[in-house]
Amino acid sequence: MKASVGKGIEQINRSNKHITAISGEEPRIDASKPRVGLVVTLEPFYIDQNWLVWDELPGPEIPLGVMSIGELESLVLLDADELASALRDTAASAQENVMLLAPAFDATAGRENALLTSTYDGIGLFDRVSKRTGRARRPRSAEGQQVQPPA
C-alpha cells in the first residue's frame, strides 16, 4: 500500500508544493485556486473508509481521493462544471484531507460513456463473440455435427 497509494500521495503533495512555488515566479499560475488530488489505481482499494490503512500512509496536504480506473471512467461522464462542483463539494466535506468520492460517483448514475460504447461497437468483437457463442451452444448430433434449430 505504501509503495503504490503512498507514492501517489507523496507525488501529489510534491506537485502541490511545486505549484505554490512556481506561482511566486509566474503570475499566470494562480495558487489560490482550490486543488484536489486523485490517486488512480487499477483495482479499487476502498481505503478512504479504512482509517487503519490511512494511518500507515503519508498525510495528504490537499483534499485527496483514491479511485480505481473504472471509477475514473465513471467520472469522465461529468462535464467540466459538474466535475468541478462534485469535487469541490466532496473536498469541502473531507476529513483530514481524505475525500469520500461516493457523492461524485452518484452524479454519474444512469449515464453511459458514449466514447467507450462507440469504440466497442466499432470493433465488432463482441458481436463476433456473441455469434460464435451462439453457434457453439447449438446441440450436436452423435457424429458431432451441429444440429440446426427448427425453423
Side-chain angles (χ1 to χ4, degrees):
M1 196 60 78
K2 287 180 186 179
S4 58
V5 175
K7 182 178 179 182
I9 294 170
E10 289 170 352
Q11 289 172 330
I12 289 171
N13 287 343
R14 187 171 50 249
S15 294
N16 183 51
K17 288 176 185 159
H18 288 170
I19 290 169
T20 301
I22 292 168
S23 71
E25 302 290 325
E26 176 54 64
R28 293 179 294 173
I29 305 294
D30 183 1
S32 68
K33 289 185 177 180
R35 295 187 284 269
V36 300
L38 298 174
V39 175
V40 181
T41 62
L42 288 177
E43 297 294 327
F45 278 113
Y46 305 114
I47 64 171
D48 56 355
Q49 301 166 7
N50 188 336
W51 61 270
L52 291 171
V53 173
W54 274 107
D55 283 349
E56 298 299 315
L57 297 172
E61 296 171 2
I62 60 175
L64 180 132
V66 178
M67 69 174 67
S68 71
I69 191 70
E71 292 166 327
L72 179 61
E73 285 179 1
S74 172
L75 281 187
V76 302
L77 299 175
L78 301 175
D79 67 31
D81 291 334
E82 290 173 317
L83 179 59
S85 177
L87 291 177
R88 186 176 37 253
D89 294 348
T90 303
S93 64
Q95 294 183 5
E96 297 182 27
N97 282 333
V98 177
M99 294 174 23
L100 300 178
L101 294 168
F105 299 132
D106 290 346
T108 68
R111 298 187 188 189
E112 182 179 85
N113 188 322
L115 177 61
L116 288 179
T117 301
S118 67
T119 301
Y120 288 137
D121 291 347
I123 294 171
L125 172 65
F126 298 109
D127 285 339
R128 291 193 305 271
V129 168
S130 179
K131 289 176 185 174
R132 182 109 181 152
T133 302
R135 283 196 305 250
R137 291 186 181 168
R138 289 187 193 142
R140 297 189 176 269
S141 68
E143 296 81 32
Q145 300 294 320
Q146 286 186 343
V147 176
Q148 295 297 323

